[in-house]
Amino acid sequence: AQKVTQAQTEISVVEKEDVTLDCVYETRDTTYYLFWYKQPPSGELVFLIRRNSFDEQNEISGRYSWNFQKSTSSFNFTITASQVVDSAVYFCALSEWGSQGNLIFGKGTKLSVKP
Amino acid sequence: EPEVTQTPSHQVTQMGQEVILRCVPISNHLYFYWYRQILGQKVEFLVSFYNNEISEKSEIFDDQFSVERPDGSNFTLKIRSTKLEDSAMYFCASSEDRTYNYGYTFGSGTRLTVV
């Protein structure tokens, strides 16, 4: 059965610190997709990144970077030089090719960045 | 950038009443989804819809729920007889295909409060 675990419930950092949000997934499919979404206090879900299971290249987008490791079934997200605007709940999600496109979400990690 | 539009943003209804949540997916998308998020909890899949029929549904999506694409642009979620535990944020999402190369976009949500 598919499952996404975000073990960190809450993280608090001071501005300009680097922070890594962990995501571990379980799936039996060989083809699957991993996502990260940001949910700011206003409540919407903001897409950050999608990765497919055949692409293990790490990705960097500005202050954000993602480390995908199939060997450990992890898809971790790092924010470099965090800012107060990064404060939000971050969700990792998994979609298996065998499903009809439904995303299985982790429970989320609440990140608080203090000035 | 194309958006998924949901209306209303907030709806209050009395227990036992029927409620219809509306969504306008991105116009060239073919797959449509509803999710819900009880306050402070993770986002949960309800149903996926493709080619004018339900392609997958979760255990949450019981006989009280139904979905419809009445006119080729709107995608609605109906809850027949609301219960207190239906209070949640409901998100609509759409995707062009199942590789998600063109995104998996969520609307900004409808907050449903059942009193």
Side-chain angles (χ1 to χ4, degrees), chain B residues 6-97:
Chain B
Q6 288 187 246
T7 55
S9 56
H10 191 187
Q11 178 147 2
V12 181
T13 189
Q14 290 217 323
M15 192 168 56
Q17 295 294 305
E18 175 182 285
V19 66
I20 297 175
L21 309 183
R22 301 180 194 281
C23 170
V24 178
I26 294 173
S27 61
N28 61 337
H29 282 189
L30 301 176
Y31 294 81
F32 314 114
Y33 314 89
W34 283 101
Y35 290 79
R36 80 168 186 194
Q37 183 183 30
I38 295 171
L39 187 65
Q41 298 188 24
K42 68 177 180 180
V43 180
E44 299 173 291
F45 167 76
L46 290 177
V47 65
S48 59
F49 192 86
Y50 170 71
N51 202 25
N52 283 320
E53 60 183 25
I54 290 174
S55 45
E56 191 173 12
K57 59 184 180 179
S58 71
E59 292 172 356
I60 303 168
F61 194 88
D62 61 22
D63 292 343
Q64 291 297 314
F65 292 90
S66 62
V67 290
E68 202 176 34
R69 190 156 158 79
D71 56 14
S73 62
N74 289 285
F75 180 50
T76 61
L77 174 69
K78 183 194 291 186
I79 308 174
R80 239 178 293 281
S81 176
T82 49
K83 307 184 194 86
L84 294 176
E85 53 264 37
D86 293 326
S87 295
M89 180 77 97
Y90 288 82
F91 291 102
C92 174
S94 69
S95 65
E96 182 164 342
D97 60 25

Side-chain angles (χ1 to χ4, degrees), chain A residues 2 4 33 35 37 39 42-45 47 50 52 89 91 95-108, chain B residues 31 33 35 37 40-45 48 50 55-56 89 91 98-109 111:
Chain A
Q2 66 272 35
V4 176
Y33 300 85
F35 300 77
Y37 285 88
Q39 187 173 46
S42 48
E44 71 271 26
L45 288 167
F47 169 81
R50 172 193 57 81
N52 74 53
V89 180
F91 290 98
S95 178
E96 297 177 325
W97 180 254
S99 76
Q100 295 301 313
N102 83 71
L103 297 189
I104 305 299
F105 282 81
K107 292 185 177 179
Chain B
Y31 294 81
Y33 314 89
Y35 290 79
Q37 183 183 30
Q41 298 188 24
K42 68 177 180 180
V43 180
E44 299 173 291
F45 167 76
S48 59
Y50 170 71
S55 45
E56 191 173 12
M89 180 77 97
F91 291 102
R98 287 179 55 208
T99 65
Y100 318 121
N101 286 330
Y102 304 102
Y104 191 117
T105 308
F106 282 85
S108 53
R111 182 165 297 286

